[in-house]
């Protein structure tokens, strides 16, 4: 089994081997994207832990605010958005970050090369169980 880190590293290795010595820009961009992807994966693990804890993590219910589209924000949406926002604005490769939960884009790092946009889709556990069941049924 190949891990995401190994896969991304192999892509960078291929780009390094196939790029002309003077054209290092592609490799630098790929490294930046890889770093941001791994950053997002780390936050995904944090969100997964919150979901595992459920009510103990105080993630259920309404947050009491509305997002940019006028929809009621859920606590989990706000918490997950804040985790991603904190991680991505701390990432040296991110120039800015924007999401459905924010009214405006958030500037990050002046030297960053990437603008990261995200929309969190938090689904209920019953929906996840249904999707897993359907996937298993297709395999059989």
């Amino acid at each position: 089994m190949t891990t995401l880190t190994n896969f991304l590293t192999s892509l960078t290795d291929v780009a390094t081997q196939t790029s002309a010595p003077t054209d290092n820009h592609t490799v630098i961009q790929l490294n930046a994207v890889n770093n941001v992807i791994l950053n997002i994966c780390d936050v995904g693990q944090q969100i997964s832990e919150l979901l595992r804890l459920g009510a103990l993590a105080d993630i259920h219910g309404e947050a009491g605010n509305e997002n940019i589209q006028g929809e009621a924000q859920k606590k989990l949406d706000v918490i997950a958005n804040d985790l991603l926002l904190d991680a991505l604005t701390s990432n040296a490769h991110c120039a800015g970050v924007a999401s459905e939960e924010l009214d405006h884009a958030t500037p990050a790092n002046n030297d960053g090369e990437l603008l990261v946009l995200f929309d969190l889709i938090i689904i209920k556990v019953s929906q996840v169980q249904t999707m897993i069941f359907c996937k298993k049924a297709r395999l059989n």
Side-chain angles (χ1 to χ4, degrees):
M1 177 186 282
T2 302
T3 66
L4 180 60
T5 303
N6 290 342
F7 175 74
L8 294 174
T9 302
S10 69
L11 287 180
T12 304
D13 291 345
V14 168
T16 303
Q17 293 167 5
T18 58
S19 295
T22 55
D23 182 26
N24 203 22
H25 187 67
T26 302
V27 175
I28 292 170
Q29 285 180 327
L30 190 54
N31 282 330
V33 171
N34 290 352
N35 187 268
V36 169
I37 290 171
L38 292 173
N39 215 191
I40 292 169
C41 289
D42 290 342
V43 173
Q45 290 176 336
Q46 293 173 35
I47 294 168
S48 178
E49 178 64 15
L50 290 173
L51 289 169
R52 189 186 68 73
L53 293 171
L56 294 173
D58 193 28
I59 60 170
H60 297 300
E62 303 287 328
N65 304 320
E66 288 185 351
N67 64 20
I68 192 73
Q69 296 174 342
E71 302 164 336
Q73 290 180 314
K74 305 288 185 195
K75 284 183 183 180
L76 182 57
D77 291 339
V78 173
I79 293 167
N81 188 78
D82 289 347
L83 287 170
L84 268 169
L85 188 64
D86 290 344
L88 293 170
T89 55
S90 298
N91 187 306
H93 299 289
C94 291
V97 181
S99 85
E100 177 190 27
E101 304 301 328
L102 303 171
D103 292 337
H104 303 284
T106 302
N109 299 291
N110 290 336
D111 295 329
E113 316 89 84
L114 304 172
L115 176 61
V116 180
L117 312 170
F118 62 89
D119 182 7
L120 299 167
I121 300 175
I122 307 296
I123 55 178
K124 296 178 185 174
V125 173
S126 61
Q127 291 171 316
V128 172
Q129 290 170 340
T130 302
M131 289 188 312
I132 291 170
F133 176 76
C134 290
K135 223 174 197 179
K136 285 182 181 177
R138 286 186 193 152
L139 293 175
N140 294 333

